[in-house]
Amino acid sequence: MKVDLNADMGEGSGSDAELLEVITSANICCGLHAGSAGLMAQTLRAAAAAGVGLGAHPGFDDRANFGRSRMQLSATELTDLIAYQTGAALAAAQANGLKLRHFKLHGALANMASEDAEMADTCYRAALAVQPDLVLMVLAATAQEQAARALTQQIAAEIFADRAYNPDATLVDRSLPGAVLHDPEFAAERILSMLREGAIIAENGHRIPSRIDTICLHGDTPEAVAMARALRARLESAGVTLRAL
């Protein structure tokens, strides 16, 4: 088995340098839900120096809530929001002689797009209009994947190491108990089970058959580095090869 290990970065959590020693792809904040223009460029350079794949990670313009509050935008507003952030990441990468490889939605924007294929389509069209060869990193087995497959063959189906799942493959709302996993060893075993079964395992035990290309760790949790190290060690000990998209 071969899989990518990604983390959200450039959000000011302070764990980026340690995570870059473990992961294979970085989803870099585009400066609206967190971070800044300078931090985005700095993170791009650090990730590239570590040999890690580079991706744009746009979210809602909602710094007060870290992009985790749902917002209702028109298709035009959403297109502009995504184009602006993807363009910023592309420009920062090009200014440093670097290449963006993938695109991944953040927070509430991602959760909403996982439930609404039309919304996901709007986001992905806006990103691909800025850089047509981006790999779309999508929440596996959701409306995100449905929309992305209709637009391009370049997709990466993603599962989460540190989040619980609903039976429809969407993520359990963060406000609910057990939505965020904190035990690195438990999370690592759970992910290995998903890879072996080729399925997402929901909180209630339901299996959702799915392609799995990449595994995400949230970089802003206190146990992010421990989770990343435990996951990498457990996967490699089981014969899984970790590599960038």
Side-chain angles (χ1 to χ4, degrees):
M1 291 184 287
K2 299 178 177 65
V3 71
D4 174 54
L5 182 59
N6 78 76
D8 304 340
M9 314 197 103
E11 297 171 328
S13 69
S15 62
D16 287 3
E18 290 179 282
L19 283 172
L20 285 174
E21 298 174 357
V22 183
I23 63 170
T24 54
S25 289
N27 320 309
I28 299 169
C29 176
C30 300
L32 288 189
H33 70 268
S36 65
L39 185 55
M40 176 171 58
Q42 175 186 327
T43 307
L44 282 164
R45 290 190 292 267
V52 169
L54 308 178
H57 190 45
F60 282 132
D61 187 1
D62 174 37
R63 187 174 295 269
N65 300 296
F66 201 67
R68 288 178 175 157
S69 294
R70 294 190 172 217
M71 302 175 71
Q72 301 301 320
L73 303 181
S74 69
T76 298
E77 290 171 326
L78 192 57
T79 296
D80 292 343
L81 179 76
I82 296 300
Y84 175 80
Q85 293 180 80
T86 308
L90 175 61
Q94 289 179 337
N96 286 278
L98 304 174
K99 170 77 172 177
L100 284 184
R101 175 62 176 149
H102 68 275
F103 171 94
K104 174 189 168 181
L105 295 171
H106 167 82
L109 177 54
N111 291 334
M112 292 173 72
S114 74
E115 302 160 5
D116 184 340
E118 185 176 351
M119 182 177 184
D121 177 80
T122 298
C123 292
Y124 295 148
R125 285 181 185 274
L128 294 174
V130 174
Q131 184 176 326
D133 63 349
L134 286 170
V135 175
L136 301 179
M137 191 178 285
V138 300
L139 283 173
T142 69
Q144 283 192 21
E145 182 170 353
Q146 175 189 339
R149 284 189 180 280
L151 291 174
T152 177
Q153 295 300 309
Q154 294 199 108
I155 73 164
E158 176 189 49
I159 61 173
F160 284 80
D162 52 6
R163 293 295 306 278
Y165 278 92
N166 295 310
D168 63 354
T170 58
L171 299 175
V172 174
D173 190 280
R174 281 179 175 270
S175 65
L176 299 176
V180 180
L181 307 182
H182 300 283
D183 184 335
E185 297 302 326
F186 172 79
E189 287 299 326
R190 171 175 165 269
I191 287 297
L192 187 57
S193 295
M194 291 191 195
L195 290 173
R196 285 172 170 163
E197 295 187 34
I200 294 166
I201 302 175
E203 191 176 40
N204 66 358
H206 178 64
R207 266 63 171 170
I208 307 126
S210 177
R211 164 180 164 178
I212 299 172
D213 301 304
T214 185
I215 302 162
C216 178
L217 290 153
H218 284 95
D220 64 305
T221 59
E223 57 279 343
V225 176
M227 184 83 73
R229 289 175 175 158
L231 180 58
R232 179 158 192 150
R234 185 67 187 93
L235 294 180
E236 289 183 334
S237 71
V240 178
T241 299
L242 295 179
R243 66 179 187 184
L245 296 173

